[in-house]
Amino acid sequence: MKMKEEEKIVIIGLGLIGGSLALDFRKNKERALLLGIDTDKEHVREALELGIIDCEIDRSQIAEADWVILAIPVDKTAAILPEILDLVKEDAVVLDVGSTKEQICKAVENHPKRRNFIAMHPIAGTEFSGPSAAFEGLFAGKTNIICEIEKTAFSIQEKALQLFKKLNMRIRYMDPKAHDKHIAYVSHLSHISSFMLGKTVIAEEQNERDIFDMAGSGFESTVRLAKSSPAMWTPIFKQNKKRVLKSLSEYIDNLNHFKMLLESDDFDSVYTEMEETNKIKEILKGIHLKKELSYGE
Amino acid sequence: MKMKEEEKIVIIGLGLIGGSLALDFRKNKERALLLGIDTDKEHVREALELGIIDCEIDRSQIAEADWVILAIPVDKTAAILPEILDLVKEDAVVLDVGSTKEQICKAVENHPKRRNFIAMHPIAGTEFSGPSAAFEGLFAGKTNIICEIEKTAFSIQEKALQLFKKLNMRIRYMDPKAHDKHIAYVSHLSHISSFMLGKTVIAEEQNERDIFDMAGSGFESTVRLAKSSPAMWTPIFKQNKKRVLKSLSEYIDNLNHFKMLLESDDFDSVYTEMEETNKIKEILKGIHLKKELSYGE
């Protein structure tokens, strides 16, 4: 029996996303050696203990990697990605998973090894962070947005797409600017809305914590994202500032309009505002349907 | 064998809450006859078909009821509750389930049969509505806030509490004004935040519906409540206008402050804003723990 050669997978950033990808690599590759890098030594220890990685390495060993995954805050990715590409061998696949794409793509646009890199954003995650939040199968059925695919070498594309298929991900191709524009609305704004909702309620109820057991699933649902990591989200808001500000201004305008309707007792319009937004039901249902169809399930 | 006498349960409003309560009554009462009233004849038909009620009645038959549940919009409850109390027999239990309590309590404060009434707010629900959304067990493990319990006759309290115990509900007693004040923060505000988030994103993306499959679970979670019924929510906002406006103004202030921080590139403060709100994690965890403890699970 011929043994398949061992693949060296380097995961930079052993949090929820990096850790979950590591677990999926291990499951889907016949022989994978999982190598971890993280500035947080507690995360390294945990990732070793949880069997997410086989050992810790340092950056000098990246030259031997077959795969390098960057799963760190987007400002750090933009900063170190050029150096990582400098180090990797000819046929290595380098991936990032960041929630912004324009600045990351820009950071390597003229890099001689740009063709080794796939800029992607798997739309997957939970409000939890760290290696202990990682789990196998996080990416199954999720959308993976890949930007500037034409800048990636065909052989690299092929390897990566094969893996994504095994992970049961649904691929969409998009321009980095379009990605950042739309994701400001369907993800970044939700986080601000949730954080500020949490802040508002905590400020009001800080002396009456008991009040929180009046909270039902509705409150929990809208405030869930306020558990997210500030270390991850601050650089996202910084990199996508212009578009986030645009969506946030529109959101505030809509809230002010709703407030004005309440103040002026225009409850017919209050009704209409909600009724018109109810179509989100069909929109979300449409997505689920489309996702199911694309797997033939 | 002695047959237990049949209990007549009248459900006014055969939506998610009324329908689910009907199913729970049927499960927990040895012999219950479920009688339904709804101005929406399609809901009556569905409720009959789904076995939620045994038959439709009209208001004249309320005199025979052992239990009357009002599960209709809060303005309608405040309007018809006095007439319902006029009609019921001496030992009937009359319950409402509305999301506001002050005006409903006020509507019957001097009613000679005030003692038959329990003003309550079970913190349970989903974003769906109508009889088809109803299910058995919706109330299990949920908090039920009862207002002005001292105004309800002891025998009526006893019957109702026995039922709530069977339904595995967790009881909290509260003054109607305090209820309305706190619920503005932990429920009503979440709904506005969610509706306006949905509105903002739909407005931006109306010509590019495909964009919605970039939306992940985060967006779905924050926008879920925007599926809620305008017929139910308009009267809630009307009845609790003053407190809803207060919470909404504070929310808008917080969003404006966050916007200002982004605009002025003060990302240290952006980080701190999020970090401080992260404590919602512990607060929500605390609730779950408390709820579990109170059942000894």
Side-chain angles (χ1 to χ4, degrees):
Chain A
M1 212 173 92
K2 210 174 109 192
M3 282 285 267
K4 219 180 158 179
E5 214 178 314
E6 194 165 67
E7 279 189 287
K8 287 185 179 138
I9 325 287
V10 175
I11 311 279
I12 307 180
L14 301 167
L16 165 68
I17 300 292
S20 298
L21 261 177
L23 292 170
D24 277 346
F25 263 96
R26 200 187 285 289
K27 196 193 166 186
N28 287 288
K29 293 274 175 198
E30 261 174 78
R31 300 193 64 206
L33 191 65
L34 274 302
L35 310 167
I37 298 181
D38 200 309
T39 49
D40 182 335
K41 292 306 155 196
E42 185 51 32
H43 279 189
V44 173
R45 198 193 56 71
E46 272 183 58
L48 282 166
E49 207 174 274
L50 294 164
I52 290 172
I53 55 168
D54 298 306
C55 52
E56 184 187 10
I57 60 162
D58 61 45
R59 217 182 274 183
S60 68
Q61 292 164 270
I62 283 178
E64 295 157 37
D66 296 293
W67 296 77
V68 181
I69 320 295
L70 287 103
I72 51 182
V74 290
D75 55 338
K76 299 212 169 68
T77 297
I80 73 165
L81 181 57
E83 303 161 39
I84 301 294
L85 284 178
D86 289 342
L87 293 169
V88 294
K89 61 182 187 188
E90 201 59 32
D91 61 345
V93 186
V94 180
L95 304 168
D96 96 295
V97 297
S99 189
T100 53
K101 293 271 76 66
E102 189 182 4
Q103 290 193 29
I104 289 170
C105 286
K106 212 174 162 56
V108 291
E109 61 181 341
N110 298 314
H111 196 286
K113 288 200 195 130
R114 172 64 184 85
R115 56 200 309 279
N116 288 71
F117 174 56
I118 295 192
M120 69 185 215
H121 179 197
I123 312 289
T126 71
E127 67 275 30
F128 305 110
S129 32
S132 60
F135 61 94
E136 203 181 280
L138 170 61
F139 302 99
K142 303 293 163 58
T143 300
N144 190 14
I145 300 170
I146 300 182
C147 292
E148 298 186 333
I149 186 71
E150 70 286 355
K151 297 196 175 176
T152 306
F154 187 69
S155 60
I156 303 286
Q157 287 182 33
E158 206 169 33
K159 276 192 225 174
L161 290 175
Q162 219 163 47
L163 177 78
F164 303 151
K165 201 175 172 183
K166 278 190 188 166
L167 265 55
N168 206 12
M169 297 186 94
R170 189 162 163 271
I171 307 301
R172 277 182 66 99
Y173 299 103
M174 200 174 266
D175 166 80
K177 284 185 185 171
H179 168 275
D180 287 10
K181 173 178 173 262
H182 295 302
I183 209 75
Y185 283 88
V186 297
S187 163
H188 303 173
L189 180 59
S190 287
H191 283 78
I192 297 178
S193 131
S194 194
F195 268 112
M196 291 304 103
L197 185 69
K199 181 183 173 179
T200 308
V201 178
I202 290 171
E204 172 68 17
E205 307 291 6
Q206 56 194 341
N207 299 317
E208 288 190 75
R209 289 213 164 189
D210 274 1
I211 289 315
F212 284 98
D213 64 14
M214 288 178 74
S217 59
F219 178 68
E220 286 211 41
S221 174
T222 42
V223 92
R224 180 171 74 86
L225 299 179
K227 303 178 191 172
S228 305
S229 153
M232 171 180 164
W233 280 95
T234 306
I236 291 173
F237 294 141
K238 193 171 176 180
Q239 285 201 359
N240 209 20
K241 176 182 150 178
K242 212 177 56 196
R243 290 148 186 144
V244 167
L245 275 174
K246 180 172 176 288
S247 70
L248 179 54
S249 298
E250 289 163 16
Y251 181 51
I252 294 172
D253 288 348
N254 285 327
L255 288 164
N256 274 320
H257 179 70
F258 194 87
K259 184 173 160 238
M260 183 273 292
L261 295 176
L262 287 180
E263 279 164 344
S264 55
D265 290 319
D266 184 356
F267 291 101
D268 286 345
S269 300
V270 164
Y271 184 99
T272 310
E273 287 275 301
M274 293 192 275
E275 196 185 30
E276 282 174 359
T277 306
N278 273 171
K279 66 178 162 216
I280 200 80
K281 242 186 273 191
E282 274 61 52
I283 295 174
L284 294 175
K285 213 188 285 168
I287 301 168
H288 288 298
L289 207 68
K290 221 190 296 176
K291 284 186 183 166
E292 276 166 27
L293 282 175
S294 72
Y295 295 112
E297 281 164 15
Chain B
M1 213 171 93
K2 208 174 112 193
M3 282 286 266
K4 219 179 159 180
E5 214 178 314
E6 194 165 67
E7 278 190 288
K8 287 185 180 139
I9 325 287
V10 176
I11 312 279
I12 307 180
L14 301 168
L16 164 69
I17 300 292
S20 299
L21 262 176
L23 292 169
D24 277 347
F25 263 96
R26 200 188 285 290
K27 197 193 166 185
N28 288 287
K29 292 274 175 195
E30 259 173 80
R31 298 192 65 204
L33 190 66
L34 274 302
L35 310 167
I37 297 181
D38 201 308
T39 49
D40 182 335
K41 292 307 156 196
E42 185 51 33
H43 279 189
V44 174
R45 197 193 56 73
E46 273 183 56
L48 282 165
E49 205 173 276
L50 294 163
I52 290 171
I53 55 167
D54 298 308
C55 52
E56 185 188 8
I57 60 161
D58 61 45
R59 217 182 273 182
S60 69
Q61 292 165 270
I62 283 179
E64 294 156 40
D66 296 293
W67 296 75
V68 181
I69 320 297
L70 287 103
I72 51 182
V74 289
D75 55 338
K76 298 213 169 70
T77 298
I80 73 165
L81 181 57
E83 301 162 40
I84 301 295
L85 284 178
D86 289 342
L87 293 169
V88 294
K89 60 184 188 188
E90 201 59 32
D91 62 345
V93 185
V94 180
L95 304 168
D96 96 294
V97 297
S99 189
T100 53
K101 293 270 76 65
E102 189 182 3
Q103 290 194 29
I104 289 169
C105 286
K106 211 173 162 57
V108 291
E109 62 181 341
N110 298 314
H111 196 286
K113 288 200 194 132
R114 172 64 186 85
R115 55 200 309 279
N116 289 71
F117 174 56
I118 296 194
M120 70 183 214
H121 179 198
I123 311 289
T126 71
E127 67 276 29
F128 304 110
S129 33
S132 60
F135 60 94
E136 201 182 281
L138 169 62
F139 303 99
K142 303 293 164 57
T143 300
N144 190 15
I145 301 171
I146 300 181
C147 293
E148 298 188 333
I149 187 70
E150 69 286 355
K151 297 196 176 175
T152 306
F154 186 69
S155 60
I156 303 285
Q157 287 182 32
E158 206 168 32
K159 277 192 224 173
L161 291 174
Q162 220 164 44
L163 177 78
F164 303 151
K165 201 174 173 184
K166 280 191 186 165
L167 265 55
N168 207 14
M169 298 187 94
R170 190 162 164 268
I171 307 301
R172 277 183 66 100
Y173 299 102
M174 199 173 269
D175 167 80
K177 284 185 185 173
H179 168 275
D180 287 9
K181 172 178 173 262
H182 295 302
I183 209 76
Y185 284 89
V186 297
S187 164
H188 302 173
L189 180 59
S190 288
H191 283 78
I192 298 178
S193 133
S194 194
F195 268 112
M196 291 303 104
L197 185 68
K199 181 183 174 180
T200 308
V201 178
I202 290 172
E204 172 67 18
E205 308 290 7
Q206 57 194 341
N207 299 317
E208 289 190 75
R209 290 214 165 188
D210 274 2
I211 288 315
F212 284 98
D213 63 15
M214 288 177 74
S217 59
F219 177 67
E220 286 211 41
S221 172
T222 43
V223 92
R224 180 170 74 85
L225 299 179
K227 302 178 191 170
S228 306
S229 153
M232 172 181 164
W233 281 93
T234 306
I236 292 173
F237 294 141
K238 193 172 175 179
Q239 285 202 359
N240 208 21
K241 176 182 151 178
K242 212 176 57 196
R243 290 147 185 146
V244 167
L245 275 173
K246 181 172 176 288
S247 70
L248 179 54
S249 298
E250 289 162 18
Y251 181 51
I252 294 172
D253 288 348
N254 285 327
L255 288 164
N256 274 318
H257 179 71
F258 195 86
K259 184 173 160 237
M260 184 273 292
L261 295 176
L262 287 179
E263 279 164 345
S264 55
D265 290 319
D266 185 356
F267 291 102
D268 287 346
S269 300
V270 164
Y271 184 99
T272 310
E273 287 276 301
M274 292 192 276
E275 196 185 31
E276 282 174 0
T277 307
N278 273 171
K279 67 177 161 215
I280 199 80
K281 242 185 275 192
E282 275 61 53
I283 295 174
L284 293 176
K285 213 188 285 167
I287 301 169
H288 288 299
L289 207 67
K290 221 190 295 176
K291 284 187 184 166
E292 276 165 29
L293 283 175
S294 72
Y295 295 112
E297 281 164 13

